[in-house]
Amino acid sequence: MNWLAKINFRTVVMRLGSFSSAILLLVILAIVFFCGYRLGNFYHGYQTQTLAQQKARLDFIYQQLAEKTQHINTLEVELEVERMANARSQQTLKLIEQAHFQVKKELAFYEKVMAPEKQANGLVIDGVTLTKSQSPAHYRFQVVLVQQVLRKRYAKGFIELTIIGSLNNKPTSIALSELTILNKDDLSFSFQYFQIISGELTLPENFVPETINVAAILPKTRWQKYNRIDHSYPWLKSIDNITQTSP
């Protein structure tokens, strides 16, 4: 490699001459420029191809995004339509329930007037009111008794209440006497036209009420025959000054 170190531009010019050296230099420069040009074209083609691939991939992603967005918009429209249809259905169902309740109420009224055989000498249980208090599982109740037939004598007797439900997921029936401090005298009635019997009760823990059964009992006396009428009322899940009338 020592001979390569001894070669310099002046030595080349002296050996080849000025003209030949110039020609050699031009040839070398032409080769360098040609190689650089070819190498630049190669990288330019590679970059162009890479950019085209990236552009095609980006266009595909944009197309997929547009399709997904359109699909989401379609689903949102369908969901809104379903919500509107459900709201209309709920409103229609509510109107039907109200109409059904009104029909049952009117039917119950006409039965009281036109079907005295379903009553105990004209005595009917007109309705039960349950009101939830501030204390947990504590309720106030009212039972309204009415005589539909005018009588000279008073209707005398007492009422019995039974709560039907489930305690710890087992069917259970609990008498009012187990839920209140009221005694039989507090639940007795004696009236000519109507009377309201009221009191308070506390449900046991883990008890889920479903039905409240009310019985009006007229014991046999010198002035009246023995009669008993029973009615069942659904125990509403949300009770707040809601009156449950006889079906």
Side-chain angles (χ1 to χ4, degrees), residues 39-222:
L39 185 62
N41 283 343
F42 172 78
Y43 279 108
H44 176 72
Y46 174 77
Q47 291 178 349
T48 301
Q49 182 180 3
T50 303
L51 289 175
Q53 292 176 351
Q54 295 295 332
K55 184 177 182 302
R57 183 178 179 183
L58 187 61
D59 291 340
F60 178 73
I61 293 175
Y62 280 145
Q63 182 180 0
Q64 283 190 325
L65 179 61
E67 292 176 355
K68 296 296 184 183
T69 302
Q70 184 178 2
H71 183 62
I72 291 174
N73 292 336
T74 303
L75 291 179
E76 288 180 348
V77 172
E78 292 178 353
L79 179 60
E80 186 63 26
V81 171
E82 289 292 335
R83 287 176 178 172
M84 294 175 61
N86 183 60
R88 287 195 297 267
S89 299
Q90 293 292 336
Q91 185 177 6
T92 302
L93 181 60
K94 185 177 181 180
L95 293 175
I96 293 175
E97 289 179 348
Q98 292 176 350
H100 179 65
F101 174 77
Q102 186 64 27
V103 170
K104 288 184 64 177
K105 187 176 180 180
E106 294 176 358
L107 179 60
F109 172 77
Y110 285 114
E111 283 184 348
K112 293 175 184 178
V113 176
M114 304 301 296
E117 66 276 3
K118 295 186 179 181
Q119 310 169 16
N121 291 338
L123 175 66
V124 295
I125 302 174
D126 189 66
V128 175
T129 301
L130 292 169
T131 306
K132 185 172 177 54
S133 67
Q134 296 296 328
S135 301
H138 187 77
Y139 296 85
R140 300 181 182 89
F141 70 89
Q142 286 187 343
V143 179
V144 181
L145 303 174
V146 177
Q147 281 203 98
Q148 298 292 330
V149 179
L150 294 178
R151 300 177 57 188
K152 294 182 180 181
R153 301 187 183 277
Y154 280 46
K156 296 183 179 182
F158 59 93
I159 64 170
E160 292 180 349
L161 274 76
T162 304
I163 312 298
I164 309 298
S166 60
L167 181 61
N168 296 322
N169 297 322
K170 294 182 179 180
T172 306
S173 175
I174 304 178
L176 179 64
S177 58
E178 302 177 29
L179 306 175
T180 183
I181 60 175
L182 300 177
N183 53 37
K184 188 174 180 180
D185 291 336
D186 298 321
L187 300 177
S188 298
F189 58 84
S190 177
F191 66 95
Q192 186 175 7
Y193 301 107
F194 73 93
Q195 183 173 337
I196 298 176
I197 300 176
S198 59
E200 298 182 0
L201 60 89
T202 302
L203 299 177
E205 188 177 358
N206 298 327
F207 180 75
V208 180
E210 298 174 359
T211 307
I212 176 169
N213 295 337
V214 183
I217 301 172
L218 291 84
K220 182 178 180 181
T221 65
R222 180 179 178 183

Side-chain angles (χ1 to χ4, degrees), residues 7-9 12 16 20-37:
I7 297 175
N8 53 42
F9 182 73
V12 172
L16 297 179
S20 298
S21 298
I23 295 298
L24 178 61
L25 180 60
L26 290 176
V27 170
I28 294 173
L29 292 175
I31 294 173
V32 171
F33 280 122
F34 177 77
C35 292
Y37 175 77

